[in-house]
Amino acid sequence: MAENRRGAGVVAGVIGKAVRGVQSRVERQREIADPEIGQDRDGVHPGQWRAKGLADVWGLPPGCPVHPLGVDGQTLYFIDDIGQLFVIPEGRQCGQDVIQRLFGARPLYLYWAWPKITPPKKEGDPFTVTGWKAEMVRQDLFAAAKKKGVWNQVERIRGRGAWKGKDGELIIHCGDVLYIGNTVVDTGERGEFFYPRRPTLPHPWAAPVTDDINPGPELLEMLRTWSWERPDVDPILILGWLVVAMLGGALDWRPSIFLVGDAGTGKSHLQRLIKAVLGGMLVQATDTTSAGIYQRIGTDALPVGVDELEAEADNRKVIAVVKLARLAASGGLMLRGGQDNAGVEFQARSTFLFSAINAPPLPPQDLSRLGVLTLRDLDPAKIAEPPVLKLADTIGPRMLRRLMDRWEAWPELFERYRKVLFKGGHDSRGQDTYGTLVAAAHLLLGDAAMAEASTNAIDNWSVMLGVDALPEHVQRQKNWRNCVSHILGARVPAWKQGNRQAVGQLIEDLKEGRDSLTLTEAQRQLAQAGLGLVRDLAIADGFILAVPNTSPLLSELFEGTVWAGQAGIGGWSGALRQGPPAVIITDKHKNLRKINGMNVRCTLIALHEFDRLGER
């Protein structure tokens, strides 16, 4: 019986999609019967619209298929005759060829609105329209754009994908139409934003997607057939990422996913499954660059899949791609220099799916914006052959409609998971990243299916996704702690001939009384690295490491790191000062220390407190 209802729902969706498609094409019909050359239009002779006072609010002729968007400096923006963005950049001539492209499907309109008229050869003969006046077209179009006002394409254009409206409503841009709630409208200007006509993407399902035809549970069960490192958590995170991929620009935070797994773990099959679900929404790339990606995305808010983003000897290109995902998480603005001293602006609102056998080293600011999911070798008992989606071409549309219908529940659901993850020890970034992924899966599945899928109440996610359960969290130490760890683990060039190689090793030998090492000898050796060591119980228990704020010797120790200084001016001092006052002491009455015969201002590290913090 349930299967019959499910089948009926799918058939209703297919029929509804066909009917909706016909209706939307009729509603978007732009083919207006322009008169033949020299003929009247709605009773108005060619070129007489201005004399009859028929100009629109922007000074253009009635029914003009081209609309002004505005200007930015000397660059002009228009909506062309089929709804696309048309840019006339600074310095480009607006000749006949440009005007013809602007009015491409409506050439006869030019002969009526801006005709070139040849007077009759003798009295009583009709006038003749022999062409159109490009200079008059330019004059009216440029004046209209100026009258429309200042306009910025980075801030005001919304390409394909999901967006949030002024009142929080969900807007789905499918390329040819917009879905605002369950209403289908044409592309174009909506409030302060312009939604350009673009190649068509899959439309949401026509009928409501009830629990019996919701593809979420089936998709989750299929994702469970892979051998995940965290079988109870990772399938839900990847399902949540699929939802984030569809909602894109409508979310305030867009976390990404990094899949890591050796050959034979099923990464390729998983990517094919994801492609089948997302269809044309997914922008796929291999061996790409950040510039290639943002040039391909443009103003769209579509998900990006980057396969084989492997660690290399030189990771700069790889890190640049991951950095783009970092900026896209919050919609950060990217600025690049361009030709003729013209800057290039780009604002990404995509989520990324990376995959690799060996992931590149990722800095903390990137790890805080993505989930690292590890795949193990496939279990033959779980899967004999790659899973196949039933009615694959309907999965994406049904998911979209389900998310549209449940969108109002998103803000409260997201906040509930953020609060739970806060109890699990996550900072603000962790709450945003994992809260978005789990809440997104919940939004698709619904309360009952989510409870059944996770076999846990929402509150238990503080344990399931607590920071201790995430291996990538170990790499996300605070900046100041990483800086201290670098000092303690650094090799001192002046000690190459000795038994001790690292700063931390020397201090540990002093604590344990090894090799009859004295404080005076330890201070002498540390001074060769530009460091000082004191023991002052009035300041803190145990030994205190004095790190000069500026030092040529320390510059050598930090060479090649993000804390490196220049000409002895330390970038490390600012990093260390981010630490808590119990560990990092900056009091000017205490931090003047003598190193290598000179009094220098230092940042003091209470090593006993640092060890205690690490133990906690």
Side-chain angles (χ1 to χ4, degrees):
M1 197 69 172
E3 284 298 319
N4 290 338
R5 287 197 302 271
R6 179 184 177 89
V10 172
V11 170
V14 172
I15 295 173
K17 183 167 66 173
V19 173
R20 179 200 61 215
V22 173
Q23 290 173 338
S24 64
R25 283 196 295 271
V26 171
E27 292 167 357
R28 301 194 316 272
Q29 184 57 258
R30 290 174 175 267
E31 292 182 5
I32 301 172
D34 292 318
E36 292 298 323
I37 298 174
Q39 299 299 308
D40 293 353
R41 187 176 190 271
D42 297 331
V44 180
H45 294 325
Q48 293 300 303
W49 55 274
R50 203 187 310 269
K52 290 182 175 292
L54 298 177
D56 66 14
V57 67
W58 310 118
L60 294 175
C64 185
V66 173
H67 302 278
L69 285 170
V71 299
D72 187 1
Q74 297 303 310
T75 301
L76 298 100
Y77 298 93
F78 298 94
I79 306 173
D80 73 5
D81 60 313
I82 61 171
Q84 297 184 119
L85 175 69
F86 195 99
V87 183
I88 302 179
E90 179 179 355
R92 179 179 176 182
Q93 295 296 319
C94 185
Q96 281 197 333
D97 61 330
V98 173
I99 295 172
Q100 285 173 325
R101 286 199 292 270
L102 194 54
F103 288 82
R106 301 282 298 279
L108 292 177
Y109 186 87
L110 291 165
Y111 290 90
W112 175 82
W114 296 279
K116 184 183 291 184
I117 297 175
T118 300
K121 293 183 178 179
K122 60 182 179 177
E123 189 174 350
D125 287 350
F127 64 85
T128 304
V129 175
T130 58
W132 44 271
K133 298 178 180 178
E135 68 276 10
M136 294 302 296
V137 181
R138 282 196 301 271
Q139 175 182 298
D140 288 338
L141 288 179
F142 287 13
K146 287 281 188 178
K147 188 178 290 186
K148 191 72 181 288
V150 177
W151 195 83
N152 184 283
Q153 66 171 338
V154 175
E155 299 170 353
R156 304 286 286 277
I157 296 181
R158 287 181 164 183
R160 297 172 299 172
W163 304 93
K164 186 160 60 175
K166 181 179 178 182
D167 298 321
E169 69 275 19
L170 183 65
I171 301 173
I172 304 292
H173 186 347
C174 295
D176 55 341
V177 295
L178 306 178
Y179 286 79
I180 305 177
N182 290 322
T183 304
V184 183
V185 299
D186 204 353
T187 57
E189 281 191 287
R190 295 280 163 184
E192 61 180 311
F193 297 106
F194 169 54
Y195 299 84
R197 183 68 57 88
R198 300 278 289 127
T200 304
L201 292 176
H203 286 221
W205 202 243
V209 176
T210 51
D211 290 345
D212 57 324
I213 62 169
N214 177 16
E218 174 192 354
L219 194 53
L220 181 60
E221 286 308 306
M222 192 165 291
L223 290 169
R224 290 187 188 280
T225 61
W226 276 265
S227 296
W228 301 96
E229 183 180 33
R230 299 164 299 198
D232 295 331
V233 172
D234 292 347
I236 292 178
L237 293 182
I238 198 72
L239 181 67
W241 182 85
L242 285 168
V243 173
V244 173
M246 291 184 169
L247 294 179
L251 300 176
D252 295 327
W253 189 257
R254 288 163 290 277
S256 295
I257 290 290
F258 208 122
L259 291 174
V260 180
D262 205 342
T265 57
K267 292 196 306 298
S268 298
H269 292 310
L270 180 58
Q271 288 160 353
R272 281 196 283 271
L273 173 67
I274 291 169
K275 177 62 177 176
V277 172
L278 296 178
M281 284 185 283
L282 182 65
V283 177
Q284 286 186 302
T286 303
D287 190 24
T288 186
T289 64
S290 60
I293 291 173
Y294 69 70
Q295 288 170 6
R296 170 66 176 81
I297 295 173
T299 59
D300 292 338
L302 300 178
V304 180
V306 183
D307 190 18
E308 299 179 9
L309 194 71
E310 301 289 344
E312 300 175 351
D314 184 351
N315 284 302
R316 283 177 294 183
K317 185 177 79 171
V318 173
I319 295 299
V321 174
V322 179
K323 182 180 178 181
L324 181 58
R326 183 206 314 167
L327 292 173
S330 60
L333 192 65
M334 177 185 289
L335 301 176
R336 290 289 184 270
Q339 293 181 347
D340 302 321
N341 296 317
V344 177
E345 296 178 87
F346 171 73
Q347 191 168 22
R349 292 184 180 89
S350 299
T351 179
F352 287 70
L353 178 72
F354 301 112
S355 67
I357 295 176
N358 298 299
L362 300 174
Q365 61 266 34
D366 291 330
L367 285 169
S368 67
R369 289 162 170 80
L370 56 82
V372 180
L373 309 186
T374 301
L375 287 167
R376 307 298 187 193
D377 289 340
L378 290 170
D379 184 355
K382 276 188 177 182
I383 180 170
E385 58 185 28
V388 178
L389 281 175
K390 300 174 185 175
L391 300 170
D393 61 332
T394 73
I395 298 292
R398 280 188 282 156
M399 286 178 65
L400 263 179
R401 179 56 188 266
R402 174 85 170 177
L403 299 173
M404 285 169 51
D405 292 344
R406 289 176 50 79
W407 173 248
E408 289 185 357
W410 171 257
E412 181 182 355
L413 196 60
F414 174 54
E415 284 304 317
R416 287 175 66 187
Y417 279 102
R418 285 190 90 254
K419 290 177 181 178
V420 166
L421 293 173
F422 173 76
K423 295 178 182 177
H426 284 276
D427 59 15
S428 176
R429 282 289 175 263
Q431 294 164 40
D432 287 339
T433 296
Y434 290 101
T436 298
L437 291 170
V438 183
H442 192 149
L443 186 70
L444 174 65
L445 293 172
D447 295 343
M450 183 66 176
E452 182 180 350
S454 61
T455 64
N456 281 285
I458 287 181
D459 288 346
N460 288 341
W461 280 93
S462 64
V463 177
M464 296 173 65
L465 268 178
V467 292
D468 294 337
L470 302 174
E472 63 269 27
H473 180 76
V474 176
Q475 303 173 53
R476 286 178 47 202
Q477 297 287 359
K478 297 289 186 181
N479 180 46
W480 73 270
R481 290 189 65 176
N482 286 333
C483 187
V484 174
S485 298
H486 175 80
I487 295 172
L488 296 178
R491 292 191 173 191
V492 180
W495 299 354
K496 285 183 179 179
Q497 304 304 319
N499 294 325
R500 301 183 184 90
Q501 297 294 314
V503 171
Q505 182 184 358
L506 182 141
I507 295 172
E508 191 65 24
D509 287 350
L510 178 63
K511 288 180 184 177
E512 299 297 327
R514 299 188 187 118
D515 302 329
S516 302
L517 182 65
T518 65
L519 176 58
T520 302
E521 176 58 22
Q523 289 171 331
R524 187 189 66 80
Q525 292 190 37
L526 285 170
Q528 295 174 9
L531 296 166
L533 188 67
V534 296
R535 192 161 196 174
D536 189 340
L537 296 179
I539 299 177
D541 292 339
F543 290 106
I544 301 168
L545 187 65
V547 183
N549 296 334
T550 60
S551 168
L553 290 174
L554 270 182
S555 291
E556 295 181 22
L557 208 65
F558 282 102
E559 187 176 357
T561 73
V562 294
W563 308 287
Q566 186 174 7
I569 300 174
W572 57 84
S573 61
L576 294 174
R577 287 168 182 265
Q578 297 169 7
V583 180
I584 303 297
I585 302 159
T586 60
D587 187 341
K588 66 179 181 180
H589 300 295
K590 301 175 181 177
N591 69 358
L592 187 63
R593 297 290 161 176
K594 181 170 285 189
I595 300 175
N596 287 324
M598 295 184 295
N599 286 320
V600 292
R601 290 290 177 184
C602 300
T603 299
L604 305 181
I605 304 172
L607 295 174
H608 180 64
E609 292 297 328
F610 181 74
D611 290 341
R612 289 179 60 188
L613 185 65
E615 291 169 1
R616 287 199 300 271

